Amino acid sequence: MNSAKTGFYWAVAILILSAFPLVVQLVPGLFGSWFTAPNPNQDGTPYAVLGKIFLLLPATWLTAFFTKSYAEYFHLEREYAHKAALAKSVDGFKRQTLKYAEEITAEVFMEIRTNPASRAGPEPAAHHLYDVLSKAVSKVVGKDGKKED
C-alpha cells in the first residue's frame, strides 16, 4: 500500500512535468522571461499542440493506474480490519446470547472465510462536474463502450 502511495505521488509529478510544455505553449507569458515564447510559425500549429497533448497520455494513464491501485489496497485494508474485528468480538457475542451461540459462530465464520477481493469497493465520491461530463460522454459512447452512429 505504501509503494502504491509513493507510485501515485511519482505519477502526479510525472504528469505535472509532462504537462509543462503544453502550458508553456498555450500560455506563453505565464512564466515571464524564464522561457522563450514559442515560435508561432513552428509551435503554433495544431499538430504541435496535439503532439504535446499526446505526451500527457502515458502520464495520465500512470496516474489513473496508481490511483486505482491505492484505492483497491485501501479497500482491502478495510475489509481485513472488519474481519479482524468480527473474529475478536465473536466470543463476546456468544456470551451475551447463549441461545444463539452456534448461529453466531457459523455466521462469523462464513463472513471471515469470504474472499475480500471478490467484493466490489465502494463507489467513489461524486463531483457535479464529473457527473455532467460522464453523462455527455455516455451519450456519445453507448453503454457497451462502442461509439454510436
Side-chain angles (χ1 to χ4, degrees), residues 73-114:
Y73 285 135
F74 192 73
H75 167 68
L76 286 175
E77 184 180 54
R78 282 194 314 249
E79 287 288 329
Y80 280 115
H82 174 70
K83 289 177 182 290
L86 279 176
K88 290 178 183 176
S89 62
V90 71
D91 189 44
F93 289 149
K94 288 192 317 186
R95 276 190 260 138
Q96 288 180 359
T97 57
L98 296 175
K99 182 178 174 184
Y100 301 109
E102 289 180 18
E103 288 87 358
I104 290 172
T105 304
E107 186 64 33
V108 168
F109 178 73
M110 294 303 285
E111 178 68 25
I112 289 174
R113 73 180 275 259
T114 59

Side-chain angles (χ1 to χ4, degrees), residues 126-143:
H127 189 273
H128 62 279
L129 181 61
Y130 174 75
D131 293 339
V132 169
L133 290 174
S134 176
K135 288 177 186 175
V137 168
S138 67
K139 286 180 183 177
V140 175
V141 178
K143 298 281 182 193

Side-chain angles (χ1 to χ4, degrees), residues 11 13-23 52 55-60:
I14 291 169
L15 181 64
I16 290 170
L17 287 174
S18 66
F20 190 71
L22 185 64
V23 171
K52 290 177 182 168
L55 288 175
L56 289 173
L57 293 179
T60 304

